[in-house]
Amino acid sequence: MEQVRRLLQSRYGDRIPLAYVHTYGCQQNVSDGEKIKGMLALMGYGFCESPREANLILLNTCAIRENAEDRVLGTIGAMKHQRVNDPELVLGLCGCMVQQPHIEQKIRESYPYVDLLFGPHVIKNLPQMLYSVLTSHKRAFDTTETNEGIPEDLPIRRDQAFKAWLPIMSGCNNFCTYCIVPYVRGREKSRPSQKIIEEFTALVNEGYKEITLLGQNVNSYGKGLDEDIDFARLLRKLNAIPGDFRIRFMSSHPKDATFALIDAIADCEKVCKHFHLPVQSGSDRILALMNRHYTKADYMKLINYAKEKIPDISFTSDIIVGFPGETETDFEETLSLLKEVEFDSLFSFIYSKRVGTKAAEMEDPTTPEEKSERFSRLLALEKEIGAKRYENFVGKTYRILVDGPGKTGPSYYSGRNDGYMIVDYDGKEEDIGTFVTVKITKSLNWALLGERVEDQ
Ligand code: SAH
Ligand code: SF4
Ligand code: F3S
């Protein structure tokens, strides 16, 4: 890093070179982006919001669905002109999408103006790669699969001052048949709990108010470590750290979610009473084809236990519509599950075929039109359920962590309650990054509207 810093100083003098880093995809990628920016800052880069002003452009890509990839290819296509006209500009790609061999090959062959390309396993090699590009003007590509897990001790430049992402594990061993993640992120690896506790405690001491533990499947945390720990016990340890903060976590795989985890959520006052439990489908036939290892009944057992233990718990989920071979009956099973659980919100996606996955080989007779029609029906039902649920919150009082300006009006601010619902209220700029107590006066369907009351 020091060598790059000196090189940049001799090249740019007193002017600070600027980096434009844009992250697509999930929070794991956002967290990687924060480490990449941490390294770039130590190498002497400042940051800019527009690629036009940048001396280094880095797109941290995602491979989860086709549209995520199309957007990146479109963006780099549009940057060709700028790159060709500015020989000093470094154009780089990193993240999950470029870890796929067919994409790496495509970039090598069809995008010769991309200088730098590295996969999620080797982000710590960025300084060496950048040094090589800056000194030799040759392209540097590295998609080695190390399976080393989360790199420790990299500098982190966090995007926010009061909410932090904390990865507790990397990779995934589940191989859901539609999903590219296990191929691009490699095998599951947990961080030693001591490292997590140290990072967590430092964040609390720095004043962070909400810390979200990240992993593709946090419920299998601890497997393969030399210590006697699991996710429920990790939550209890973090909850015991003194301070006024909240703990969130994502994602949970229903096959590994346990009653012990639900008990921990119930017992730990700092753990938000919100459970994001991606179900994907309500049809047992489709769940088996997806290789999810649970049935609708297994899923409902978890939901019902959680509702019994934590009456005000909020559930959210991920749904895939139009998995290969999904019939109208299968889809109706999903709708019926949604009615039974009453999720507060959903992240729903139309199935997207991913090269190299098992589902890509399956027969898929359903037309795109039918899939979009199902998707619209799902959204309509989600809205109806959400609106009904939200009505029940009028009159209740919540503690919210204020994120920033709200959408309701000029003096409105917005935050989320424990259950991850958006709450707008008439507030002040100083509230941002603090907890305030709000009494709900109205449901807006997509959010709740309230009035600030004295803290209780
Ligand atoms: N590890 C997390 C999911 C990460 S991906 C988990 O298992 O819950 C986030 C979501 O993207 C998934 O839950 C799934 O709903 C969706 N997804 C993954 N692959 C997809 C594909 N090929 N097409 C459409 N949606 C997909
Ligand atoms: Fe993908 Fe399944 Fe792993 Fe989630 S658990 S990342 S959906 S393979
Ligand atoms: Fe995308 Fe990679 Fe996350 S594929 S969803 S950025 S793990």
Side-chain angles (χ1 to χ4, degrees), residues 172-176 178-182 216-217 253 280 292:
C172 183
N173 292 350
N174 293 317
F175 290 93
C176 302
Y178 50 81
C179 185
I180 196 69
V181 171
Q216 290 301 344
N217 177 11
H253 194 307
Q280 315 297 355
R292 291 288 286 181

Side-chain angles (χ1 to χ4, degrees), residues 16 40 42 70 73 75 87 96 104 116 157 160 165-166 210 250 260 281 286 300 344 368 375 379 384 408 435:
I16 296 175
L40 291 173
L42 280 191
D70 289 347
L73 293 176
T75 306
C96 295
E104 183 186 350
L116 178 68
R157 187 177 186 273
Q160 286 172 302
W165 308 113
L166 199 168
E210 182 177 294
M250 65 188 303
S281 168
I286 295 294
M300 284 313 301
D344 282 320
F375 191 67
L379 294 186
E384 190 188 312
T408 316
F435 288 109

Side-chain angles (χ1 to χ4, degrees), residues 234-418:
L234 179 71
L235 276 183
R236 289 183 189 273
K237 283 184 188 221
L238 298 174
N239 186 68
I241 295 172
D244 186 16
F245 59 85
R246 272 175 179 175
I247 306 172
R248 295 193 187 277
F249 59 88
M250 65 188 303
S251 259
S252 283
H253 194 307
K255 84 175 162 61
D256 298 309
T258 57
F259 286 181
L261 168 63
I262 296 168
D263 292 342
I265 303 172
D267 294 343
C268 295
E269 72 288 356
K270 290 168 189 157
V271 174
C272 288
K273 307 300 175 243
H274 164 223
F275 204 3
H276 180 64
L277 195 59
V279 65
Q280 315 297 355
S281 168
S283 151
D284 288 347
R285 198 180 72 82
I286 295 294
L287 288 171
L289 287 173
M290 287 176 162
N291 192 33
R292 291 288 286 181
H293 295 281
Y294 56 84
T295 60
K296 181 180 180 182
D298 298 330
Y299 187 82
M300 284 313 301
K301 252 188 233 158
L302 288 168
I303 295 285
N304 289 332
Y305 183 77
K307 281 185 179 173
E308 193 186 301
K309 271 268 174 174
I310 314 163
D312 57 352
I313 194 163
S314 146
F315 297 107
T316 56
S317 199
D318 294 352
I319 304 282
I320 296 180
V321 174
F323 181 83
E326 181 192 74
T327 62
E328 177 59 27
T329 317
D330 294 317
F331 177 64
E332 281 166 13
E333 300 251 23
T334 302
L335 297 183
S336 107
L337 176 99
L338 301 191
K339 288 185 199 152
E340 232 175 295
V341 180
E342 299 196 310
F343 294 104
D344 282 320
S345 60
L346 293 175
F347 300 89
S348 330
F349 314 99
I350 293 184
Y351 168 75
S352 169
K353 192 172 178 171
R354 305 287 66 213
V355 175
T357 60
K358 273 203 177 151
E361 310 299 318
M362 295 179 189
E363 291 281 325
D364 192 3
T366 315
T367 63
E369 291 73 26
E370 278 174 282
K371 291 187 184 192
S372 336
E373 189 265 340
R374 282 182 198 162
F375 191 67
S376 313
R377 279 158 64 202
L378 182 101
L379 294 186
L381 178 65
E382 179 197 350
K383 217 169 149 190
E384 190 188 312
I385 295 171
K388 205 176 96 200
R389 281 257 317 153
Y390 273 42
E391 281 295 325
N392 296 334
F393 302 127
V394 176
K396 295 204 170 164
T397 300
Y398 294 109
R399 200 161 180 245
I400 67 165
L401 178 59
V402 184
D403 283 318
K407 288 191 192 155
T408 316
S411 63
Y412 277 77
Y413 286 81
S414 172
R416 287 191 189 257
N417 70 358
D418 201 73

Side-chain angles (χ1 to χ4, degrees), residues 440-456:
I440 306 304
T441 52
K442 199 175 167 196
S443 150
L444 304 171
N445 296 340
W446 54 273
L448 296 166
L449 191 65
E451 281 166 3
R452 186 169 181 171
V453 293
E454 280 305 305
D455 292 344
Q456 293 157 348

Side-chain angles (χ1 to χ4, degrees), residues 103-131:
I103 297 283
E104 183 186 350
Q105 194 185 350
K106 186 171 184 160
I107 302 293
R108 270 188 199 281
E109 289 167 5
S110 313
Y111 297 83
Y113 50 91
V114 170
D115 305 287
L116 178 68
L117 180 148
F118 57 98
H121 296 263
V122 292
I123 60 173
K124 69 171 190 322
N125 295 351
L126 169 64
Q128 289 89 320
M129 295 179 77
L130 196 53
Y131 187 79

